Amino acid sequence: MDADNLASNMNEQAFYERLDSTAVDPPDLFEHFEEHSAGDRTYYLLPDARHEVERGTVVLPDADAVVRGYPSVPRVFVLDPGIPSFFGADARVSVEEKLNGFNVRIAAVGGVLAFTRSGYVCPYTTDRARALLDPAEFFEAYPGAMLCAELIGPETPYTAHDYDDVDSHAVRVFGIRDRETGEPFPVDERRELCERYGFPQPTEFGRGTVDEAVSTAKEAIAELDAAGREGIVVKSEDGREIVKYTTASQTQADLAYAFELPFDYGRDFVFSRVIREGFRAVEFDEDGDRLRERAHDLGESILLPMVETIHTVAAGDRVGERQTVRGDPRAIDELLSHLEGQGLTIEIESDQRDGDQRVVEFLKVSQSTSDRIDYYLDGGTYDE
Amino acid sequence: MDADNLASNMNEQAFYERLDSTAVDPPDLFEHFEEHSAGDRTYYLLPDARHEVERGTVVLPDADAVVRGYPSVPRVFVLDPGIPSFFGADARVSVEEKLNGFNVRIAAVGGVLAFTRSGYVCPYTTDRARALLDPAEFFEAYPGAMLCAELIGPETPYTAHDYDDVDSHAVRVFGIRDRETGEPFPVDERRELCERYGFPQPTEFGRGTVDEAVSTAKEAIAELDAAGREGIVVKSEDGREIVKYTTASQTQADLAYAFELPFDYGRDFVFSRVIREGFRAVEFDEDGDRLRERAHDLGESILLPMVETIHTVAAGDRVGERQTVRGDPRAIDELLSHLEGQGLTIEIESDQRDGDQRVVEFLKVSQSTSDRIDYYLDGGTYDE
């Protein structure tokens, strides 16, 4: 659709070759890209994986740059034999914490920019990445690299998971990759570079054989679950193979989040998460009481937030996702415009200054959940 | 696809006009029909609703007959104001029990045949309908009518819900319609005819204004829920407008059934059912304890059967739906061939004679649930 603009803005044939896809020719690939702009810059993003090019891959013609999407990470439903089976019996792997925030890629492409998982330049995250990581020196040494990071904490525009040690927001760098090929740096090199350049990174629970990784992972998951944290990723030492496993408390938090807005997220969220709990019960539940408790937690995660939302709508109040952001006043302005530009309805609930920072609480209004609930409460019917 | 055969077997233009669809011409409609046979008879069924013709509509050229599909019945999530809002404040309606079995249509189309919801001639149900209803006299008087009925009880090939008063299986006639137009008989006329011809019918809880129907429905649902029965249908007195509402115990039974075979049914079943419980809680739960209990029931219905199935697969056993059928030995043979003809894998678990009847227990094997569970238990990954 935007392929014509793209063609006039760049050397299509050259980008086609650099992206190394399975598309038969440039139009076959570039018809799927969308044109967007950030300030006065135009860029093209791929909203869904196509022709073996990752979702969120970005082409920036003015910088002659490609920023490859972060690959989709498969999940195991059982740690044992999930880990040995995925990597093979002889592999050596690293077990690191998976954080619950949002995935961004940070690259120097005519200035340092931060890209969301879907490939949008996010003005807020760009500002935060520059301030929190100060990556200029790193990009001087590694101009072709991108930092793969999680923006975490209660004051971010997309998620709001609390971490004990993060009052507002923070960044954790969990990967360094060649931004054009997507090729990852090996785990030890990446961790050393983060150390050297002062980039905070996720906890590494251990490194070793796949059998060692199973015990490490089981202990880590028990700890993380008790602390209400998300889970782990296991990576081959070269960084190329990655698999994830998340905690029961994260599944419950996901379901609670989704069923606060059932008609926005419920349908997509529920099935795979109840399946996770089924396999988890078979791997870990020692008796019927523990299983029943897990079932009760599951039911509460689904039903209680939904019922609260129905009551909220019945009372005539708005529902949606409540977020807080803190940062440079201009970056906050740009963020709010950016979100509205994506078609979201934003209601500012509080807007304050804290020193030179601006702190805004806002609601991303969910019209579809409100409308559906209103409709059914008024006696509307559901056709099966 | 079968339109060519259909065209050679019947006066296509005439059937097109009789079906009164929104299709632009006969091929536009008949390309969606499938050819099937029952004994030496050929018939055509519409597997999904198209051009305002109901799913399961059947054309039988050799009898120059149309058997219209049973319409999809909308559901309300709240009884009040669901019932008044659906029918309008001035309507008079009837509240009847909705039974948990399978929906069949019985018509005299060159012999009495019973059609499943999807439009298949079912040899077993045909045999049972003839034996249990003896409808010859009715069809002499009403040759253009069809009986819309539920086959219920523990010994049927498709469902296995227990009713206190049904040891094996039974039929309940809940509708009489013109089989060509689908036009229903009014409620009182239908109930009188069933009475006159000795057709068992579902309980009618009451008839009256929509406000009376709300109280009738609330009482009926409380009773049915306690007895583990499915729910109610409310119909306008002319039989044309129908809406349904089901019990919490039925939702739980559905979820338990679906999550016994999670990779066959779970995804389709789960979302709309948890939504039902959300609205039910808002309409009926008087306090937090009752809500929490409902949440626990919901979680148990989902998780416990799934965990049991995973254990079964882990132990190397087959999973699927277990059914029992009882009837004429030849009809049972035909049924088993019919099911295998539909691509099902049937394992006979017991096959006995009881007087002149044959009683067969069989498993409809679910390969996909077994395969998926095996794969994940072996450490297979799930791509999101």
Side-chain angles (χ1 to χ4, degrees), chain A residues 85-308:
Chain A
S85 151
F86 183 77
F87 293 98
D90 300 330
R92 290 185 62 82
V93 298
S94 160
V95 180
E96 289 179 296
E97 182 171 5
K98 175 176 181 8
L99 293 155
N100 180 7
F102 71 100
N103 175 304
V104 292
R105 287 158 288 144
I106 300 153
V109 283
V112 171
L113 292 178
F115 300 87
T116 66
R117 190 75 182 254
S118 340
Y120 288 95
V121 173
C122 174
Y124 177 80
T125 317
T126 294
D127 177 75
R128 296 294 82 206
R130 289 175 186 165
L132 296 169
L133 295 176
D134 192 12
E137 204 187 330
F138 170 80
F139 284 122
E140 257 170 53
Y142 298 91
M146 61 181 174
L147 300 174
C148 304
E150 199 84 358
L151 185 62
I152 59 171
E155 296 183 340
T156 77
Y158 307 105
T159 56
H161 189 85
D162 272 321
Y163 283 97
D164 282 348
D165 47 347
V166 181
D167 285 332
S168 172
H169 54 263
V171 179
R172 298 284 184 269
V173 176
F174 58 78
I176 304 178
R177 291 175 176 252
D178 183 289
R179 68 172 156 73
E180 178 139 342
T181 62
E183 182 72 14
F185 284 42
V187 173
D188 53 358
E189 190 180 346
R190 183 245 306 162
R191 292 198 69 94
E192 274 168 37
L193 284 174
C194 286
E195 187 85 20
R196 188 185 320 157
Y197 289 95
F199 302 152
Q201 35 182 342
T203 305
E204 184 175 28
F205 294 107
R207 219 178 289 186
T209 66
V210 286
D211 290 335
E212 287 163 348
V214 166
S215 349
T216 304
K218 286 189 172 178
E219 277 169 39
I221 284 292
E223 245 176 65
L224 294 168
D225 190 30
R229 296 173 79 113
E230 180 167 14
I232 56 168
V233 284
V234 186
K235 295 183 177 175
S236 58
E237 286 193 323
D238 61 10
R240 286 186 184 157
E241 306 294 324
I242 317 179
V243 76
K244 67 185 170 195
Y245 183 90
T246 52
T247 60
S249 61
Q250 182 62 39
T251 304
Q252 289 160 27
D254 286 351
L255 287 171
Y257 165 84
F259 280 95
E260 256 179 60
L261 299 174
F263 295 100
D264 289 82
Y265 300 116
R267 190 183 294 273
D268 295 337
F269 265 64
V270 67
F271 182 69
S272 98
R273 285 174 178 76
V274 303
I275 295 291
R276 290 178 205 171
E277 291 310 294
F279 284 93
R280 197 191 315 279
V282 169
E283 188 169 16
F284 292 109
D285 289 353
E286 56 287 354
D287 60 35
D289 286 348
R290 183 67 200 88
L291 171 62
R292 209 161 289 271
E293 195 185 318
R294 186 182 297 285
H296 294 178
D297 289 345
L298 178 71
E300 290 190 14
S301 306
I302 293 172
L303 199 64
L304 306 190
M306 173 168 40
V307 167
E308 198 171 319

Side-chain angles (χ1 to χ4, degrees), chain B residues 65-356:
Chain B
V66 167
V67 180
R68 199 86 189 185
Y70 194 78
S72 165
V73 175
R75 168 188 303 279
V76 282
F77 285 139
V78 294
L79 288 169
D80 187 11
I83 295 173
S85 151
F86 183 77
F87 294 98
D90 300 329
R92 290 186 61 81
V93 299
S94 160
V95 180
E96 289 180 297
E97 182 171 4
K98 175 177 181 11
L99 292 155
N100 180 6
F102 71 101
N103 175 303
V104 292
R105 285 158 290 144
I106 300 153
V109 282
V112 170
L113 292 179
F115 300 87
T116 65
R117 190 77 183 254
S118 341
Y120 289 95
V121 173
C122 173
Y124 177 79
T125 316
T126 294
D127 177 75
R128 296 293 82 206
R130 290 175 185 165
L132 297 169
L133 296 177
D134 193 11
E137 204 187 329
F138 170 80
F139 284 121
E140 258 168 53
Y142 298 91
M146 62 181 175
L147 300 174
C148 303
E150 199 84 0
L151 186 62
I152 59 170
E155 296 183 341
T156 78
Y158 307 105
T159 55
H161 190 85
D162 272 321
Y163 283 97
D164 282 348
D165 48 345
V166 182
D167 284 334
S168 173
H169 55 263
V171 178
R172 299 284 183 269
V173 176
F174 58 79
I176 305 180
R177 290 175 177 252
D178 183 287
R179 67 171 155 74
E180 178 138 341
T181 64
E183 183 72 13
F185 285 41
V187 172
D188 54 358
E189 189 180 346
R190 184 244 305 163
R191 293 197 70 95
E192 274 167 40
L193 284 174
C194 286
E195 188 83 18
R196 186 185 321 157
Y197 289 96
F199 302 152
Q201 34 183 343
T203 305
E204 184 176 29
F205 294 106
R207 219 178 290 185
T209 66
V210 286
D211 289 335
E212 286 163 349
V214 166
S215 349
T216 304
K218 285 188 173 178
E219 277 169 37
I221 283 292
E223 248 177 61
L224 293 168
D225 190 32
R229 296 172 79 113
E230 180 169 17
I232 56 167
V233 284
V234 185
K235 294 183 177 175
S236 57
E237 286 192 324
D238 62 10
R240 285 185 184 156
E241 306 294 323
I242 317 178
V243 76
K244 66 185 171 194
Y245 183 89
T246 52
T247 61
S249 61
Q250 182 62 38
T251 306
Q252 289 160 27
D254 287 350
L255 287 171
Y257 164 83
F259 280 95
E260 256 180 61
L261 299 173
F263 294 100
D264 289 82
Y265 300 116
R267 190 182 294 273
D268 295 337
F269 265 64
V270 68
F271 181 70
S272 98
R273 285 174 178 75
V274 303
I275 295 291
R276 290 177 205 172
E277 291 310 293
F279 283 94
R280 198 192 314 279
V282 169
E283 189 169 15
F284 293 109
D285 289 353
E286 55 289 354
D287 60 32
D289 286 350
R290 183 66 201 87
L291 172 61
R292 209 163 289 273
E293 196 185 317
R294 186 183 298 285
H296 294 178
D297 289 346
L298 177 70
E300 290 191 12
S301 305
I302 293 172
L303 198 64
L304 306 189
M306 171 166 44
V307 167
E308 198 170 319
T309 293
I310 300 174
H311 281 300
T312 303
V313 173
D317 292 329
R318 297 274 222 175
V319 294
E321 289 163 77
R322 209 154 253 115
Q323 307 286 359
T324 303
V325 286
R326 169 188 298 267
D328 173 67
R330 196 189 35 77
I332 303 269
D333 264 345
E334 283 175 24
L335 170 72
L336 298 172
S337 309
H338 169 74
L339 294 174
E340 286 172 342
Q342 294 191 308
L344 299 173
T345 304
I346 301 295
E347 281 190 359
I348 308 289
E349 301 197 323
S350 132
D351 192 344
Q352 296 180 305
R353 289 301 283 253
D354 181 5
D356 62 348

